[in-house]
């Protein structure tokens, strides 16, 4: 969305993307307390994270647990904090509730599933592309194909609907999700990936998503006892002064990590030179969990006929016989 300018007040180009990173402290400013050179840390950034050296205010920096790897640290902050705050701060997740999460195979979706497992008797309905089901079926209670009529499937299991819906798609899914909410249920929009459908920004895609969103009638919300919310962690951090709220969530998440109750799901590692291919994998919804840019990784040489592109259904294109390059350059971490 940043690359295509599908956000409010997009930064001027050229720019370095990226909102989170991890690494080793190389220097600290005067009167900076709590960190020393050599500390292993993870941090939020207001852009500029995809680089070998970054600088960020101390309020956005957190020490890594001793047993956390850099790969895990790079995948931890944004996804788990967003998932935690939506579930517990916005929707007040409690024992016995039910949660429906779109893009259950993505990094936020997997974080949501893990956090729900820390609360007794929470039912998780996951929506994901079929090819991801084998890998993620154990992380959710019920799993449905994103291209099927999941509304009817959910209602077969839970006729009254669900307590919480987490939607990162927008568009037609908004109306469907609202129809699934129980009385006093909460719908949270935290993304709009349906607006990104091609290589470049598309006014048609934007207009289509906007048009498909069910127009919210406040009186109808009142009558049906439903809650609609929005959540943007980046705006909360960088525009709305939410550092203390985020720090509180991070403190609780690090305890859960040290108790081995949560762990980031990493899809693959990429060299900085491979950022185009890495972004294509996300664009095509091919990833399960987080993609990491590793500044120490050497790019794997590409053959002229090598392709990392995936179809819209998310299935990898066939590889020529005997060509192992693409397998080597997409190291999956299980």
């Amino acid at each position: 969305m940043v690359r295509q300018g599908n956000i409010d007040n997009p930064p001027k180009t050229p720019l370095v993307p990226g909102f989170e990173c991890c690494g080793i402290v190389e220097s600290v400013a005067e009167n900076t307390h709590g960190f020393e050179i050599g500390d292993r840390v993870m941090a939020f950034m207001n852009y500029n994270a995809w680089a070998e050296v970054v600088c960020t205010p101390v309020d956005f920096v957190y020490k890594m647990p001793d047993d956390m790897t850099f790969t895990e640290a790079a995948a931890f902050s944004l996804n788990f904090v967003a998932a935690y705050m939506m579930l517990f701060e916005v929707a007040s997740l409690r024992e016995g509730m039910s949660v429906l999460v779109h893009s259950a195979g993505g990094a936020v979706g997997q974080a949501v599933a893990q956090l729900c497992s820390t609360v007794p008797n929470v039912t998780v309905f996951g929506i994901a592309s079929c090819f991801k089901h084998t890998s993620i079926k154990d992380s959710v209670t019920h799993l449905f194909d994103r291209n099927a009529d999941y509304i009817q499937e959910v209602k077969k299991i839970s006729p009254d609907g669900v307590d919480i819906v987490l939607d990162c798609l927008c568009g037609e899914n908004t109306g469907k999700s609202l129809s699934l909410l129980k009385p006093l249920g909460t719908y949270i929009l935290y993304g709009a990936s349906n607006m990104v459908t091609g290589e470049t920004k598309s006014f048609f895609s934007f207009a289509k998503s906007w048009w498909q969103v069910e127009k919210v009638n406040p009186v109808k919300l009142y009558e049906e006892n439903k809650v609609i919310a929005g959540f943007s962690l980046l705006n909360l951090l960088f525009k709305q002064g939410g550092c203390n709220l985020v720090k509180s969530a991070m403190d609780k998440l690090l305890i859960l990590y040290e108790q081995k109750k949560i762990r980031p799901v990493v899809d693959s590692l990429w060299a900085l030179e491979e950022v185009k291919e890495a972004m294509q994998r996300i664009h095509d919804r091919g990833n399960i969990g987080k993609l990491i840019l590793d500044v120490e990784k050497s790019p794997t040489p590409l053959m002229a006929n090598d392709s990392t592109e995936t179809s819209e259904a998310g299935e990898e294109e066939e590889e020529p016989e005997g060509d192992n390059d693409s397998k080597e350059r997409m190291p999956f971490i299980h």
Side-chain angles (χ1 to χ4, degrees), residues 25-244:
V25 175
E26 292 197 356
S27 65
V28 294
E30 292 182 13
N31 301 319
T32 298
H33 304 290
F35 296 94
E36 297 179 354
I37 293 174
D39 283 348
R40 300 165 69 239
V41 298
M42 47 189 166
F44 293 108
M45 301 281 299
N46 192 11
Y47 294 99
N48 301 310
W50 296 358
E52 293 170 305
V53 179
V54 303
C55 182
T56 193
V58 69
D59 288 342
F60 301 141
V61 184
Y62 303 87
K63 287 185 179 178
M64 292 167 47
D66 292 338
D67 58 346
M68 180 180 279
T69 66
F70 283 114
T71 301
E72 288 179 326
F76 190 83
S77 304
L78 273 178
N79 303 121
F80 272 103
V81 170
Y84 183 92
M85 297 192 77
M86 286 190 292
L87 288 172
F88 297 104
E89 303 290 347
V90 180
S92 300
L93 178 65
R94 299 183 299 280
E95 180 176 353
M97 281 187 165
S98 54
V99 178
L100 183 142
V101 58
H102 289 282
S103 297
V108 175
Q110 287 294 288
V112 166
Q114 291 185 35
L115 288 171
C116 285
S117 70
T118 67
V119 180
N121 302 319
V122 170
T123 302
V124 180
F125 296 92
I127 314 295
S129 300
C130 264
F131 84 100
K132 298 183 180 183
H133 285 200
T134 300
S135 299
I136 67 173
K137 60 183 174 62
D138 293 335
S139 65
V140 298
T141 317
H142 304 286
L143 189 56
F144 306 107
D145 178 11
R146 67 187 297 268
N147 296 312
D149 184 5
Y150 58 84
I151 299 294
Q152 295 306 316
E153 295 299 318
V154 171
K155 286 187 174 180
K156 286 179 185 177
I157 299 168
S158 180
D160 294 335
V162 298
D163 295 293
I164 301 169
V165 174
L166 303 179
D167 179 12
C168 60
L169 303 177
C170 199
E172 62 179 344
N173 292 282
T174 300
K176 292 179 179 180
S177 300
L178 284 171
S179 72
L180 276 176
L181 278 187
K182 291 180 180 179
L184 301 184
T186 302
Y187 164 90
I188 305 175
L189 180 69
Y190 70 99
S193 62
N194 277 340
M195 294 183 184
V196 182
T197 56
E199 284 302 307
T200 57
K201 183 177 181 178
S202 167
F203 177 78
F204 175 77
S205 296
F206 183 89
K208 180 182 177 183
S209 291
W210 182 87
W211 181 256
Q212 288 176 332
V213 173
E214 182 171 309
K215 304 309 177 279
V216 176
N217 182 338
V219 175
K220 189 177 180 182
L221 288 178
Y222 151 73
E223 292 174 345
E224 296 182 354
N225 282 302
K226 293 183 178 180
V227 179
I228 295 181
F231 183 80
S232 167
L233 177 57
L234 297 177
N235 284 345
L236 183 67
L237 268 174
F238 303 124
K239 296 181 181 179
Q240 297 163 346
C243 280
N244 289 335

Side-chain angles (χ1 to χ4, degrees), residues 297-314:
K297 184 181 181 297
S298 299
T300 303
L302 285 175
M303 303 299 290
N305 60 354
D306 187 22
S307 173
T308 61
E309 292 186 359
T310 56
S311 69
E312 285 189 9

